[in-house]
């Protein structure tokens, strides 16, 4: 049961004033949720400012610096409405103080609200950005403008929040304010010794400080309020992870005794032998599975390092021992690709491999569910549909979760919530720094694939301005007529007026015309069947050029594709570029990657693209990326911060993570089921910061 004191925070966002269906949609977008019903008041409380506007600067009109936000106290001299018949001309209000005159400039003014807000001969306060033209200052659409009496509430320091298009900063601020007011007086969930030692303010005080900053120092990542909340968040994360691990481990492992019979056949079917590090990983996995504790292992390997083969060996072991194995992929395309690969390698065994996705037809799905329940299906491959409530496994011994870089303990918890706790192998592709591993996975055993399969040739990477597009088209013509295959990646799906990015559809049309051949297209808005078809045509060589958005970024494997063109490379995160480039260089043919950019490049932008040219080492790229951009962008996803965290930043709060890890271990050693007095406090913390995850876990417990 959720502690009642948290109820106001878990109330739907729509209970706040001013949130109707239209606003609701915007908030859902802001919080990256399906719809407004998934948003809680708490989401707003956790939506912390990224910067602030300081309106304390009151230099007087004559001394207002160009482009700076200032607040001016003045006297209204006159109004100058636009001349009749010229509605596009500005409406000006002239005010003065003892240093000079300022024009307040408004466009498209309707009605007479300006006369009311800024009456002639009134003392007024205005705040906004000042620009100078020909020695005259003007303020276009002041952020605030009213008589002195009406302006008592002018916020001199104003938080600025991360936004989404369509939402106004004012509306967002007001809603957040209303949400923060609902913050109850929470009892302290940390031990007094911890709060005292680090001078942590209370939770309520901390949020109030962040949402009502007095100056920039309050928003500093090292400010006590921010550190407190970051620590809480890390602690909640570490405790959830430790609990999952504890649960998984506690359920006595079913030792898997592999006979090696099936895996020997599979190896024969593979056109290569495993690399040394693949062998080492397989061995570690088999050892784990044979033991009486549940395996919980992370398999980390750079793009194209051959993680799938390791996973397949592990799954074969589960089947040899008479059980089932599942492989969960992050996307439908990947699930189908895994299915194909695995079917190919298991063709001369009696292993039955089955696909289960969310998009199957009812009859097909029913049949699949029956085969899973009867144990007829040995290996089940799919998306998150694998762990839905109505899927019952006959004898699930191993779950492989291909997380790529979409971290989340969700799936792992989902399994435990179903009362299942098979051996677990989690695969990640993006090379992640240790701190990030710790934050996203907690303490897990780790196997790393450090070598690339033999025979791989380095990928030639070139950084090329868009102006040379026609050269590239010619190169592609030559290459495809020689039988080579190429990807062409575009950043956006459909043309949009806010952006000059060429959409995939448009690029597809242009290239089809220029090359006079059939060209494939894959983007996120196509149906699964359409995507499959496009991938199949490209694999079989019926199309030799595939225009795609980043839907193909993770895991797509067409080993004979050797050319990768990335349009607007300057707009991608480095890790994402690395992932994309990793789609070529997967066979023994030499490959090329062309990074097309639209100039002029910033210094930083040039440095980033140069890193791509200089190295193919994912770990090095990740490190450089971290240096240049910060970890949020490292994963190429979130606008800010660390994935899964609202308040904590791995870069800034690494020390707190380490502390949280130790404290979590201590707390759970003392009270493994969180039943004691401290345990109850910690449960509150878990609900607050991990929500449904925590809820699932507590139910599962
Ligand atoms: N030991 C090996 N020798 C040669 N080729 C291999 C070896 N292991 C795997 N491969 C091949 O290398 C390619 C990449 O393997 P896989 O798809 O498993 O990579 P991955 O680690 O999942 O990479 P990504 O994260 O990019 O998806 C595949 O075409 C696979 O058949």
């Amino acid at each position: 049961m959720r502690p009642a004191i948290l109820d106001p925070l878990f109330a739907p966002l729509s209970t706040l004033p001013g949130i109707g269906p239209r606003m609701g949609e915007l908030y859902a977008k802001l919080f990256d949720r399906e719809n407004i019903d998934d948003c809680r008041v708490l989401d707003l409380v956790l939506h912390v400012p990224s910067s602030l506007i300081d309106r304390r600067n009151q230099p007087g009109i004559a001394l207002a610096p160009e482009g700076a936000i200032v607040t001016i106290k003045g006297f209204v001299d006159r109004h100058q409405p636009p001349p009749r018949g010229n509605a596009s001309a500005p409406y000006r209000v002239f005010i003065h103080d003892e240093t000079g005159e300022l024009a307040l400039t408004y466009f498209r003014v309707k009605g007479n609200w300006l006369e009311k807000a800024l009456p002639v001969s009134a003392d007024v306060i205005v705040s906004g950005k000042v620009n100078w033209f020909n020695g005259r200052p003007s303020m276009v659409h002041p952020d605030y403008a009213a008589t002195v009496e009406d302006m008592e509430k002018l916020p001199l320091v104003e938080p600025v929040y991360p936004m989404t298009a369509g939402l106004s900063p004012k509306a967002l601020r007001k809603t957040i304010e209303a949400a923060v007011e609902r913050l109850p007086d929470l009892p302290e969930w940390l031990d007094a010794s911890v709060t005292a030692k680090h001078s942590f303010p209370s939770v309520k005080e901390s949020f109030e400080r962040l949402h009502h900053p007095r100056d920039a120092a309050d928003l500093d990542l090292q400010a006590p309020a921010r550190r407190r909340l970051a620590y809480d968040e890390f602690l909640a994360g570490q405790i959830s992870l430790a609990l999952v691990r504890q649960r998984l481990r506690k359920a006595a492992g079913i030792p898997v005794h592999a006979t090696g019979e099936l895996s020997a056949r599979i190896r024969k079917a593979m056109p290569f032998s495993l690399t040394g590090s693949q062998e080492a990983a397989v061995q570690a996995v088999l050892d784990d599975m044979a033991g009486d504790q549940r395996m919980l292992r992370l398999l980390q390997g750079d793009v194209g390092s051959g993680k799938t083969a390791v996973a397949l060996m592990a799954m074969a072991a589960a089947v040899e021992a008479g059980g089932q194995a599942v492989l969960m992929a992050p996307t439908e395309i990947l699930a189908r690709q895994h299915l194909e690969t695995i079917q190919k390698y298991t063709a001369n065994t009696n292993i039955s491999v089955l696909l289960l996705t969310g998009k199957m037809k009812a009859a097909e799905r029913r049949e699949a569910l029956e085969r899973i329940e009867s144990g007829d299906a040995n290996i089940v491959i799919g998306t998150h549909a694998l762990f839905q409530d109505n899927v019952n496994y006959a004898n699930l011994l191993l779950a492989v979760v291909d997380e790529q870089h979409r971290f989340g303990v969700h799936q792992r918890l989902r399994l435990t919530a179903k009362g299942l706790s098979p051996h677990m192998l989690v695969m990640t592709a993006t090379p992640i720094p240790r701190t990030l591993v710790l934050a996203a996975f907690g303490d897990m055993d780790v196997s790393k694939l450090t070598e690339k399969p033999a025979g791989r040739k380095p990928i030639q990477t070139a950084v090329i301005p868009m102006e040379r597009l026609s050269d590239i088209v010619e190169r592609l013509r030559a290459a495809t007529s020689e039988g080579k295959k190429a990807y062409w990646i575009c950043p956006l799906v459909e043309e949009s007026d806010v952006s000059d990015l060429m959409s995939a559809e448009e690029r597809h049309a242009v290239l089809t015309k220029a090359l006079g051949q059939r060209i494939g297209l894959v983007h996120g808005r196509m149906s699964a069947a359409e995507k499959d078809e496009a991938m199949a045509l490209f694999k079989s060589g019926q199309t030799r050029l595939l225009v795609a958005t980043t839907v193909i970024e993770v895991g797509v494997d067409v080993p004979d594709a050797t050319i990768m063109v990335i349009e607007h490379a300057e707009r991608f995160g480095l890790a994402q570029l690395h992932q994309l480039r990793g789609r070529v260089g997967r066979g023994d043919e030499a490959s090329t990657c062309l990074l097309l950019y639209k100039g002029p490049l910033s210094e930083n932008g040039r440095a980033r693209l140069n890193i791509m040219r200089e190295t193919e080492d994912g770990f090095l790229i990740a490190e450089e990326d971290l240096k240049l951009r910060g970890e949020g962008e490292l994963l190429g996803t979130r606008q800010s911060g660390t994935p899964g965290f609202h308040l904590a930043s791995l870069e800034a709060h690494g020390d707190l993570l380490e502390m949280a890890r130790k404290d979590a271990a201590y707390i759970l050693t003392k009270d493994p089921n969180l039943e004691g007095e401290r345990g109850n406090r910690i449960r509150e913390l878990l609900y607050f910061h991990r929500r449904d995850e925590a809820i699932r876990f507590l139910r599962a417990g």
Side-chain angles (χ1 to χ4, degrees):
M1 276 285 287
R2 182 171 67 220
I5 189 159
L6 296 179
D7 286 350
L9 296 175
F10 280 83
L13 204 62
S14 50
T15 59
L16 289 171
I19 304 203
R22 208 185 73 80
M23 276 297 183
E25 251 171 54
L26 294 175
Y27 279 101
K29 206 161 116 215
L30 181 67
F31 296 125
D32 201 9
R33 303 284 157 73
E34 297 250 312
N35 60 56
I36 182 73
D37 299 333
D38 300 333
C39 303
R40 310 268 159 243
V41 171
L42 182 57
D43 288 312
L44 283 170
V45 173
L46 292 172
H47 195 65
V48 295
S50 48
S51 61
L52 51 77
I53 298 176
D54 192 338
R55 303 188 184 281
R56 287 173 302 180
N57 190 13
Q58 304 191 15
I61 291 173
L63 292 175
E66 162 68 26
I69 288 184
V70 295
T71 298
I72 306 272
K73 269 194 185 139
F75 179 85
V76 180
D77 297 315
R78 63 197 163 96
H79 280 231
Q80 188 191 81
R84 262 178 202 284
N86 187 0
S88 61
Y91 188 123
R92 291 206 165 87
V93 179
F94 290 91
I95 68 171
H96 79 268
D97 67 6
E98 57 275 26
T99 68
E101 183 179 61
L102 175 69
L104 309 176
T105 307
Y106 293 87
F107 292 93
R108 284 185 289 276
V109 175
K110 290 215 178 74
N112 62 349
W113 65 272
L114 269 176
E115 284 155 35
K116 286 192 183 145
L118 301 169
V120 172
S121 301
D123 288 315
V124 296
I125 298 185
V126 300
S127 187
K129 201 188 276 176
V130 168
N131 293 107
W132 289 79
F133 300 104
N134 299 329
R136 289 159 180 272
S138 115
M139 191 182 278
V140 179
H141 284 263
D143 303 330
Y144 293 91
T147 58
V148 171
E149 299 81 55
D150 286 347
M151 266 311 228
E152 275 164 5
K153 280 193 295 219
L154 171 73
L156 285 176
V157 175
E158 197 173 70
V160 177
Y161 292 98
M163 294 288 295
T164 191
L167 200 60
S168 89
K170 243 184 205 164
L172 178 61
R173 260 199 311 272
K174 254 177 96 175
T175 323
I176 290 183
E177 202 140 291
V180 173
E181 270 167 28
R182 298 225 186 145
L183 202 63
D185 258 322
L186 296 163
E188 184 53 69
W189 45 54
L190 301 180
D191 288 2
S193 58
V194 176
T195 49
K197 183 164 151 212
H198 300 280
S199 332
F200 283 159
S202 75
V203 173
K204 190 169 165 144
E205 270 173 71
S206 303
F207 278 112
E208 278 169 355
R209 196 44 51 251
L210 285 184
H211 289 290
H212 304 289
R214 293 163 299 193
D215 51 35
D218 278 340
L219 292 186
D220 192 293
L221 290 174
Q222 302 305 347
R226 182 62 179 258
R227 278 178 67 80
R228 194 252 138 94
L229 297 172
Y231 170 78
D232 278 9
E233 206 175 25
F234 277 144
L235 184 66
Q238 290 299 302
I239 290 185
S240 309
L241 288 165
L243 282 169
V244 174
R245 189 175 134 92
Q246 179 180 305
R247 291 283 124 123
L248 281 173
R249 284 268 155 87
K250 196 172 68 179
I254 304 175
V256 169
H257 297 297
T259 62
E261 191 245 335
L262 292 173
S263 58
R265 287 186 187 207
I266 292 172
R267 280 171 187 264
K268 266 203 204 122
M270 288 177 168
F272 47 76
S273 44
L274 297 187
T275 63
S277 58
Q278 281 172 318
E279 290 291 4
V282 170
Q283 200 50 53
V285 167
L286 295 182
D287 288 349
D288 283 358
M289 287 172 64
D292 51 12
Q293 277 208 326
R294 299 234 165 223
M295 168 172 75
L296 193 50
R297 184 170 285 275
L298 184 65
L299 177 61
Q300 246 190 309
D302 204 348
V303 290
S305 58
K307 293 180 286 291
T308 318
V310 176
L312 180 55
M313 290 299 144
M315 293 193 280
V319 179
E320 284 167 9
Q324 290 170 305
V326 299
L327 169 55
M328 187 178 85
T331 65
E332 190 118 5
I333 289 191
L334 274 193
R336 286 181 193 272
Q337 176 181 294
H338 282 316
L339 176 79
E340 252 173 60
T341 314
I342 290 174
Q343 271 174 338
K344 192 166 73 193
Y345 295 150
T346 55
N348 62 353
T349 68
N350 53 4
I351 299 179
S352 74
V353 189
L354 180 87
L355 182 75
L356 184 73
T357 71
K359 295 203 178 119
M360 285 163 89
K361 293 204 189 74
E364 221 181 344
R365 184 177 165 80
R366 200 168 329 114
E367 192 202 322
L369 292 179
E370 273 163 23
R371 291 185 55 201
I372 293 171
E373 194 156 356
S374 69
D376 173 46
N378 306 121
I379 293 182
V380 189
I381 298 170
T383 52
H384 54 273
L386 289 172
F387 299 147
Q388 268 152 14
D389 288 343
N390 55 357
V391 190
N392 299 308
Y393 292 91
N395 182 16
L396 184 60
L397 289 183
L398 171 71
V400 181
V401 183
D402 185 359
E403 288 199 342
Q404 299 285 350
H405 56 205
R406 298 165 194 223
F407 312 111
V409 286
H410 276 85
Q411 278 77 27
R412 279 168 267 157
L413 284 156
R414 195 142 194 175
L415 268 180
T416 39
K418 278 176 78 73
L420 293 167
S421 29
H423 294 286
M424 193 164 310
L425 183 65
V426 179
M427 306 202 280
T428 68
T430 317
I432 11 180
R434 201 193 91 83
T435 45
L436 203 47
V437 172
L438 187 59
F441 300 102
D443 285 324
M444 276 178 101
D445 299 316
V446 179
S447 289
K448 281 188 186 160
L449 300 183
T450 48
E451 34 179 338
K452 289 251 161 116
R456 297 277 168 85
K457 301 201 174 69
I459 303 173
Q460 291 293 334
T461 300
V463 178
I464 300 174
M466 266 313 260
E467 286 73 37
R468 287 186 38 210
L469 191 69
S470 53
D471 294 355
I472 290 162
V473 173
E474 282 320 303
R475 272 172 82 171
L476 278 179
R477 184 198 305 284
T480 49
S481 67
E482 280 168 26
K484 292 189 173 152
K485 285 185 190 169
Y487 296 98
W488 186 297
I489 310 295
C490 304
L492 274 185
V493 185
E494 266 164 23
E495 199 184 356
S496 83
D497 45 1
V498 290
S499 156
D500 60 350
L501 299 187
M502 184 95 153
S503 73
E505 275 165 357
E506 205 180 320
R507 180 56 78 203
H508 177 256
V510 169
L511 287 173
T512 303
K513 194 155 166 232
L515 295 177
Q517 52 176 285
R518 184 167 181 196
I519 293 177
L521 174 67
V522 213
H523 59 66
R525 300 204 190 158
M526 287 162 62
S527 72
E530 288 168 328
K531 280 187 224 164
D532 279 349
E533 197 197 337
M535 287 311 299
L537 288 174
F538 185 58
K539 269 190 187 170
S540 68
Q542 282 163 276
T543 55
R544 301 199 168 278
L545 180 60
L546 183 65
V547 175
T549 57
T550 52
V551 288
I552 67 145
E553 166 191 345
V554 287
V556 166
D557 187 41
V558 182
D560 62 349
T562 54
I563 302 169
M564 167 64 65
V565 182
I566 304 177
E567 196 171 333
H568 279 296
E570 79 281 3
R571 307 206 178 188
F572 289 94
L574 275 191
Q576 214 179 358
L577 287 178
H578 179 62
Q579 272 289 334
L580 286 168
R581 179 172 61 181
R583 297 312 106 212
V584 297
R586 299 172 82 86
D588 40 22
E589 293 292 318
S591 298
T592 340
C593 174
L594 307 178
L595 302 175
L596 301 189
Y597 69 89
K598 182 112 190 271
L601 283 179
S602 66
E603 202 171 305
N604 191 290
R606 184 167 299 278
R608 291 176 349 98
L609 293 183
N610 280 340
I611 294 169
M612 292 300 298
R613 204 171 53 192
E614 278 155 23
T615 180
E616 259 185 77
D617 180 333
F619 281 92
L620 234 152
I621 290 175
E623 264 172 35
E624 290 299 318
D625 205 14
L626 195 58
K627 270 189 226 150
L628 287 172
R629 300 181 62 151
E631 80 238 359
E633 307 245 8
L634 177 63
L635 300 154
T637 47
R638 298 275 153 191
Q639 327 85 310
S640 66
T642 300
F645 295 91
H646 295 96
L647 303 145
S649 146
L650 289 172
E651 262 175 315
H653 304 129
D655 61 323
L656 293 175
L657 176 62
E658 199 52 44
M659 191 171 116
R661 187 176 70 89
K662 288 195 188 125
D663 293 351
Y666 173 80
I667 290 168
L668 288 173
T669 325
K670 294 279 171 195
D671 183 2
N673 295 313
L674 299 180
E675 288 158 340
E677 183 270 327
R678 185 203 280 118
N680 280 325
R681 286 188 273 127
I682 292 296
R683 276 174 185 249
E684 243 166 59
L685 168 81
L686 287 181
Y687 270 103
F688 191 94
H689 282 292
R690 315 263 359 141
R691 287 185 250 192
D692 39 342
E693 279 178 19
I695 292 159
R696 274 187 214 147
F697 132 70
L698 288 167
R699 277 204 204 118

